[in-house]
Amino acid sequence: MAAQKKAVVGPLVGAVVQGTNSTRFLVFNSKTADLLSHHQVELTQEFPKEGWVEQDPKEILQSVYECIERTCQKLVELNIDISNIKAIGVSNQRETTVIWDKLTGEPLYNAVVWLDLRTQPTVENLSKKIPGNNNFVKSKTGLPLSTYFSAVKLRWILDNVRQAQKAVEEGRALFGTIDSWLIWSLTGGVNGGVHCTDVTNASRTMLFNIHSLEWDKELCDFFEIPMDILPNVWSSSEIYGLMKAGALEGVPISGCLGDQSAALVGQMCFQEGQAKNTYGTGCFLLCNTGHKCVFSEHGLLTTVAYKLGRDQPVCYALEGSVAIAGAVIRWLRDNLGIIKTSEEIETLAKDVGTSYGCYFVPAFSGLYAPYWEPSARGIICGLTQFTSKNHIAFAALESVCFQTREILDAMNRDCGVPFTHLQVDGGMTNNKILMQLQADILHIPVMKPSMTETTALGAAMVAGAAEGVGIWSLKPEDLSVIIMERFEPQIKVTESEIRYATWKKAVMKSMGWVITQSENGDPTIFSSLPLGFFIVSSMIMLIGARYISGIP
């Protein structure tokens, strides 16, 4: 019997999408942008103490290898020749901080995840050193001083992990965000691995000057970070190195973008004023501001959108960042157990069609944009005896939409031109109840692409377009047309505004729960509430204890 012929397919590009909850590898046809195959592996998150979020860098790396191998197996089963994969792009969760030993390849500590709050005391101490009339950190980086970004996470590791301190002293330590750890490892690791990052990821560290596009000595001195452990900064689209192992050995890694920049590219937002909102673990609204830095007056970040080649100009974006979006669904599943799978929340919410006055503020990691309020904590309010798990599920979905409304309003005020529609992507956009709620709460149409893997597509596009690869054209006339599903508002503006106003009332109640934490994660000041509150609370607890014990 004659051997079966391989399917004829144009040049292919692979994309590693390393997220907070999972890792994926996807393969696209560079001529049609069609997704041919993919594989996904869910990841473990560790919570050693309240407010601490960690991941194992070796588990993350192994998940990448597994996804690549399994996707290649699926392609072979589809009779597609994997030698047609000509390039690989990397997209990653941003800010998450890794430090490792360049001689052994071993991590010196777990990855400290972007959501982690342990560095709040560090942030408070550093903020006292910034002159009120010269916030050089924000003017150079576009970022507020916050637990969110890498510099304070790295500072915490260097202050608290003796193994890391010793490696720095002996010149063995390397620092990077997840992209740096992966590219170094995939291109050889201890045997000549390339220690690099791209401008989008560098811009999230608080050590990178977004104007000069270089590591900034003043910032590194301020955070007391040795510059020799930092990766080289490259553009988002050039050959960094070659895969040194596995089914795709020898294939160039030629694209790198932080996940939100990758989604911006994947949504074809190349023109000034174009924007997208991604619903993942968090929620991130980015608006392309072209070649100029636009600084927000309403709580948004200024960040690097992309740089599509070594000699190409940089493009910037305004960003609204929400810490908890999809993570609230995972919390309902894993912590409360009211759903068994993430998909079940749509059914629960659909069965009631309302939160019945219940509001959920999922400030598990404080509040990000537009508040930047680390003292906030999650609350569910407006509960009655009628409230069921269905109403809480509905309120959880609504919370994602309300948070998006807040950052969209801030974006409208900064840009001066209101959005006429919102382009969306990310795993949560498969939830039709969520998408309709979002249109209702924003009161503008929501546009969802038929192919929602825009983060992976963006990483593949920049990898395929890199000099020396040249199999994916980014010229406007060559870009694929995106087919969109449209969700129109279905409620009156007055109802939308009443619900939004009540949400903002709930947000105010979420603030001031935890003001300060010690470096070991233990709260030292529990609340900004007045002393009388604690006195009354203590009396109630004492009376309750006496009543339970039968003491008159």
Side-chain angles (χ1 to χ4, degrees), residues 11-17 25-31 33-37 85-91 236-238 252-258 261-263 265-266 268 270 308 451 453-466 469-474 479:
L12 309 180
V13 181
V16 172
V17 179
F25 185 68
L26 306 91
V27 175
F28 296 89
N29 183 321
S30 65
K31 299 306 177 189
D34 290 337
L35 175 61
L36 301 179
S37 188
I85 298 175
K86 303 300 183 186
I88 295 170
V90 174
S91 166
S236 308
S237 181
E238 58 183 296
I253 299 174
S254 53
C256 181
L257 288 164
S261 289
V265 171
M268 319 293 177
F270 293 118
L308 301 178
M451 203 288 289
E453 297 288 0
T454 52
T455 301
L457 180 61
M461 288 166 65
V462 297
V469 179
I471 58 173
W472 204 310
S473 173
L474 298 183
L479 295 174

Side-chain angles (χ1 to χ4, degrees), residues 540-552:
I540 291 170
M541 286 189 285
L542 179 60
I543 292 167
R546 290 169 64 91
Y547 177 79
I548 291 167
S549 304
I551 301 172

Side-chain angles (χ1 to χ4, degrees), residues 148-406:
Y148 182 17
F149 307 107
S150 309
V152 289
K153 301 179 193 300
L154 179 56
R155 182 68 261 147
W156 185 92
I157 294 172
L158 296 181
D159 285 340
N160 292 278
V161 181
R162 179 58 193 145
Q163 191 179 2
Q165 296 167 355
K166 193 166 185 289
V168 169
E169 291 162 5
E170 296 173 0
R172 294 183 285 109
L174 295 178
F175 153 78
T177 40
I178 294 294
D179 57 303
S180 298
W181 164 244
L182 293 180
I183 292 173
W184 183 83
S185 301
L186 296 172
T187 58
V190 295
N191 298 310
V194 179
H195 187 215
C196 69
T197 188
D198 91 299
V199 289
T200 68
N201 282 295
S203 75
R204 312 298 292 192
T205 61
M206 270 198 311
L207 302 171
F208 186 71
N209 188 314
I210 61 174
H211 309 286
S212 66
L213 302 182
E214 296 174 326
W215 298 120
D216 190 285
K217 187 176 187 306
E218 185 182 16
L219 291 169
C220 290
D221 288 346
F222 177 71
F223 290 104
E224 299 180 71
I225 302 298
M227 295 184 76
D228 58 356
I229 71 173
L230 304 179
N232 294 316
V233 183
W234 296 32
S235 78
S236 308
S237 181
E238 58 183 296
I239 296 175
Y240 313 115
L242 306 180
M243 289 283 292
K244 289 296 171 68
L248 299 181
E249 184 176 353
V251 175
I253 299 174
S254 53
C256 181
L257 288 164
D259 51 9
Q260 303 313 316
S261 289
L264 193 73
V265 171
Q267 286 262 33
M268 319 293 177
C269 295
F270 293 118
Q271 302 301 313
E272 187 176 334
Q274 290 185 310
K276 65 86 208 175
N277 195 39
T278 299
Y279 300 76
T281 299
C283 199
F284 303 90
L285 176 62
L286 267 70
C287 179
N288 189 329
T289 62
H291 303 311
K292 62 180 184 290
C293 279
V294 176
F295 282 85
S296 173
E297 296 179 1
H298 301 96
L300 304 180
L301 311 177
T302 303
T303 197
V304 175
Y306 51 78
K307 188 175 187 292
L308 301 178
R310 189 176 301 180
D311 301 321
Q312 295 299 308
V314 67
C315 284
Y316 296 95
L318 271 176
E319 175 176 328
S321 312
V322 169
I324 303 295
V328 75
I329 313 304
R330 185 167 178 163
W331 182 80
L332 290 174
R333 185 193 71 185
D334 297 347
N335 291 44
L336 294 195
I338 69 171
I339 51 174
K340 290 188 173 64
T341 67
S342 297
E343 292 73 25
E344 279 181 44
I345 194 163
E346 185 170 6
T347 305
L348 284 181
K350 189 176 181 181
D351 284 348
V352 288
T354 175
S355 67
Y356 202 77
C358 171
Y359 286 82
F360 191 160
V361 182
F364 301 155
S365 296
L367 290 168
Y368 284 11
Y371 301 101
W372 298 106
E373 183 49 75
S375 74
R377 287 296 180 270
I379 64 168
I380 302 174
C381 56
L383 300 174
T384 71
Q385 285 180 308
F386 183 72
T387 306
S388 69
K389 66 179 182 180
N390 299 66
H391 299 115
I392 292 172
F394 194 96
L397 294 182
E398 262 192 330
S399 75
V400 176
C401 302
F402 286 131
Q403 290 179 99
T404 297
R405 166 76 186 266
E406 291 191 300

Side-chain angles (χ1 to χ4, degrees), residues 99-163:
I99 185 166
W100 67 95
D101 189 320
K102 67 182 178 183
L103 300 183
T104 66
E106 291 293 312
L108 296 165
Y109 191 72
N110 270 347
V112 180
V113 176
W114 57 278
L115 286 165
D116 189 281
L117 290 175
R118 76 186 71 184
T119 56
Q120 188 55 36
T122 306
V123 168
E124 290 170 5
N125 290 333
L126 288 169
S127 66
K128 296 171 187 172
K129 300 179 183 179
I130 299 176
N133 60 350
N134 178 26
N135 190 341
F136 66 92
V137 174
K138 187 168 185 180
S139 64
K140 288 187 174 194
T141 67
L143 311 173
L145 192 57
S146 167
T147 60
Y148 182 17
F149 307 107
S150 309
V152 289
K153 301 179 193 300
L154 179 56
R155 182 68 261 147
W156 185 92
I157 294 172
L158 296 181
D159 285 340
N160 292 278
V161 181
R162 179 58 193 145
Q163 191 179 2

